[in-house]
Amino acid sequence: MWVPWALAAAFFVIGVLAARSDRFLHDEGMLSWFFAGIMAEEPVATLFFLKSRPPLALLYAPFASLGLDAFLVVHVLIAALAIPLVAAVARALDQRAPNLVALALAASPMFFASSASGVGNSDAITGFMLVLYLLVVRRAPAAAGVVAGALPLIRAEMSIFVIALALYCLARERRRFLLALPSVGLLFAVAGAFYHHDVLWFIHYPPTLMGQGEATPLRGAFGYAQASAGATVGVLLAIAPLLGLLALVPWRRFASLERVLLLASLVFVLAIRGFPIIGLFHFDDSPRYTLPMILALVPLGRLANVWLEEARDSRWWAAGILGLLWIAGVALDRSEHAPLLLVAVAAWALIWAAARRPYPRLALAMTAALGLGAAAAPPLVDATLLSSDQHARRHAVFAEWVATDPARVRSSRIITNVHLLSTWSRRHGLEGSGLTIESIISRDIEEELRTLTNEQSGQYATLISILHRHFYGQPLPADELRPELLHGDVVFVLESDQRLEAVMPSGEWEPLLTTLVERDGLRIAAFKPPDEHE
């Protein structure tokens, strides 16, 4: 019983250290903090702004005013709580290695990076673990239904797993779960209808753009569906390095709930790649959207049941699956120079060999060792795309420039499209020297604010009025960024971004900019007014 709590404590301590070091400082994590702060100031307008992920914004609102560090500490803590929850669920499902499931969750590079960065993806996982805990351990189906009904408001992709759980409960006549499931959504929809004066407000003001926005840059033809097979495998391994070991368990040995989770995970992967192709949703290729795949690891403790009871039970099934994965790994390595799957299959095969000897306890120890080793493996951490290494290099370039000419920096107007520049500068002492940074509100952000909020009810105006306190820097609307409106010493700090062209067309602006520094993807350029240029 103490092992999951020890893992959670270690996860929390290491996660807080990572968050404090800015190792995973991320603009989407900052956005979660901004929404919490906006919720604290304007709760009604924010509550019915679905993009704010209202349940999360409400949860973190009491901590928002304490600062980014406090928010991140609480965020890591909530993620850590998923570890003992999943162990309790595995134990209730009669898995003989529930601690292995806890370790698999704690050692997931993607889950850890999500928790330390502040993005809401890890919160959705904790929420679902709480649902399973209430349903399976506490046997409180009504409470589980209430929590499950709130999950789609946190992350829409969790709907697949909520529907799967509803079908599971329907087959077992767990009416209290099914009756409670729509309660949050119905209450929220009715309250929102009064606020928006629109019964279909949740359709007219959805949590995200339902298709390609006019100002949203196209990231590949179909968003995440554009990711290569090698990149997709890398992401899946970053989420669940032990995923392939599930092939060592015969299908008939899984409990019914475990089968539901496995099937839902498969449907989820197909959906996240397929929906953008048919135009149902638009999202970029950020790997964190695939984090719910980690729920496929809930049955992992079933390995011990097979190995400790009848080690030969999975002989042909496991050999066939591992063989197919090996062939796929060879193909990926040759076509994309992506060896991760080959390495993973080799490790899984060694574990299977140990279990087959039979040395089941050695195999379980090797499984735990593989999970711990994968937790800090650089290729898997890089695959999360949540590491701030690239941003750190750009910030270092900016810091060097500030140190080179501090007098000019203090007297200049600094304008940037680098979301994290102001926050990083403040956290590293640069803004304390009189530095003020203005952050451009790109066209796609403006489009989302106007499309996803209600101007007639005053929601849009309310949120805009407090944006200056909850943005990456001092907000600068795109319409106010025109050459004729700029006076004095103005310096732009820019990174290459498709969205910048919509705000600063290169044909108009390039003649007006003189590059001071350009390195590691960052350009620092002085602005020369049109009259002086002539």
Side-chain angles (χ1 to χ4, degrees):
M1 295 290 288
W2 61 271
V3 173
W5 288 102
L7 288 170
F11 181 97
F12 174 72
V13 171
I14 299 171
V16 168
L17 291 175
R20 293 292 301 273
S21 70
D22 294 341
R23 177 73 173 83
F24 297 101
L25 189 65
H26 196 273
D27 57 339
E28 288 292 333
M30 294 283 299
L31 195 60
S32 297
W33 177 46
F34 297 151
F35 284 146
I38 293 172
M39 178 69 78
E41 285 197 45
E42 294 289 345
V44 178
T46 310
L47 186 65
F48 301 110
F49 175 39
L50 293 180
K51 186 174 177 62
S52 73
R53 304 178 190 96
L56 276 191
L58 275 173
L59 176 65
Y60 289 112
F63 311 101
S65 63
L66 300 178
L68 178 59
D69 281 332
F71 163 77
L72 290 174
V73 167
V74 177
H75 193 265
V76 174
L77 176 62
I78 288 176
L81 291 176
I83 298 169
L85 287 176
V86 74
V89 170
R91 190 175 294 107
L93 292 173
D94 293 324
Q95 296 180 22
R96 296 187 63 176
N99 294 337
L100 186 61
V101 186
L103 184 144
L105 180 62
S108 165
M110 185 73 77
F111 184 67
F112 177 82
S114 297
S115 70
S117 66
V119 297
N121 306 79
S122 61
D123 297 287
I125 300 304
T126 300
F128 196 82
M129 294 305 181
L130 178 59
V131 171
L132 294 179
Y133 176 80
L134 291 170
L135 185 65
V136 177
V137 181
R138 302 298 297 179
R139 299 189 181 280
V146 170
V147 178
L151 289 181
L153 295 173
I154 297 175
R155 297 295 312 180
E157 59 265 30
M158 295 303 298
S159 299
I160 292 175
F161 292 90
V162 172
I163 292 171
L165 204 55
L167 294 174
Y168 168 81
C169 289
L170 179 64
R172 281 150 188 79
E173 297 186 352
R174 297 190 179 182
R175 294 186 179 87
R176 284 184 292 173
F177 177 90
L178 297 171
L179 291 173
L181 182 61
S183 60
V184 172
L186 286 175
L187 180 63
F188 193 63
V190 171
F194 282 103
Y195 175 78
H196 286 284
H197 305 289
D198 182 357
V199 175
L200 299 178
W201 69 275
F202 47 86
I203 295 176
H204 297 150
Y205 309 105
T208 187
L209 299 178
M210 299 302 289
Q212 175 72 35
E214 293 181 5
T216 305
L218 191 64
R219 298 175 175 88
F222 305 112
Y224 192 77
Q226 194 72 9
S228 69
T232 301
V233 168
V235 169
L236 293 179
L237 291 175
I239 294 171
L242 304 178
L243 183 64
L245 293 175
L246 291 170
L248 308 183
V249 181
W251 183 254
R252 63 182 176 81
R253 297 301 304 272
F254 290 116
S256 56
L257 179 57
E258 295 167 352
R259 294 175 189 168
V260 167
L261 294 176
L262 290 171
L263 290 173
S265 299
L266 177 60
V267 172
F268 169 76
V269 170
L270 295 176
I272 201 170
R273 292 185 65 91
F275 279 166
I277 294 177
I278 62 176
L280 188 55
F281 291 103
H282 173 77
F283 45 83
D284 62 32
D285 57 356
S286 180
R288 62 191 175 86
Y289 295 145
T290 322
L291 183 59
M293 261 299 299
I294 204 170
L295 297 174
L297 290 182
V298 171
L300 190 66
R302 192 68 58 187
L303 284 170
N305 298 60
V306 174
W307 291 346
L308 294 174
E309 295 170 10
E310 40 184 300
R312 297 183 178 274
D313 188 46
S314 62
R315 179 173 53 186
W316 300 113
W317 170 271
I321 296 295
L322 290 177
L324 290 174
L325 290 174
W326 178 264
I327 293 171
V330 171
L332 285 177
D333 190 35
R334 290 180 177 177
S335 62
E336 300 184 32
H337 302 290
L340 277 179
L341 183 57
L342 270 180
V343 174
V345 172
W348 299 335
L350 283 175
I351 292 172
W352 180 54
R356 292 272 304 146
R357 288 297 299 172
Y359 300 120
R361 298 191 185 281
L362 174 61
L364 289 172
M366 291 171 65
T367 301
L370 176 61
L372 290 173
L380 298 184
V381 175
D382 292 344
T384 68
L385 297 188
L386 290 172
S387 171
S388 60
D389 287 346
Q390 184 183 57
H391 295 295
R393 289 194 296 271
R394 294 174 182 175
H395 297 153
V397 172
F398 178 69
E400 289 177 16
W401 175 73
V402 170
T404 301
D405 196 355
R408 179 176 188 176
V409 170
R410 285 193 296 270
S411 63
S412 296
R413 183 180 178 186
I414 309 294
I415 300 175
T416 186
N417 69 330
V418 183
H419 286 329
L420 296 177
L421 188 67
S422 178
T423 300
W424 185 90
S425 299
R426 183 170 59 253
R427 288 169 70 82
H428 290 263
L430 296 183
E431 286 198 342
S433 58
L435 176 66
T436 301
I437 298 175
E438 296 178 61
S439 188
I440 300 170
I441 303 177
S442 57
R443 296 291 185 188
D444 63 315
I445 294 178
E446 290 183 342
E447 181 182 22
E448 284 199 333
L449 283 171
R450 289 194 177 277
T451 304
L452 305 180
T453 60
N454 188 341
E455 291 193 53
Q456 293 182 344
S457 69
Q459 184 185 40
Y460 174 79
T462 298
L463 296 178
I464 287 293
S465 69
I466 60 174
L467 188 64
H468 64 284
R469 291 192 291 275
H470 306 282
F471 198 63
Y472 300 105
Q474 184 66 27
L476 176 63
D479 288 337
E480 296 180 15
L481 184 57
R482 301 200 302 271
E484 64 271 19
L485 298 180
L486 299 180
H487 305 285
D489 196 0
V490 179
V491 175
F492 285 90
V493 181
L494 305 172
E495 63 181 355
S496 178
D497 190 328
Q498 292 173 283
R499 295 171 292 186
L500 188 60
E501 183 67 22
V503 180
M504 299 176 63
S506 55
E508 177 184 4
W509 283 88
E510 195 58 36
L512 307 177
L513 299 178
T514 302
T515 300
L516 304 175
V517 179
E518 188 166 9
R519 194 170 77 247
D520 289 327
L522 189 75
R523 181 188 183 192
I524 302 175
F527 170 75
K528 190 175 184 179
D531 52 347
E532 295 183 21
H533 180 73
E534 295 173 359

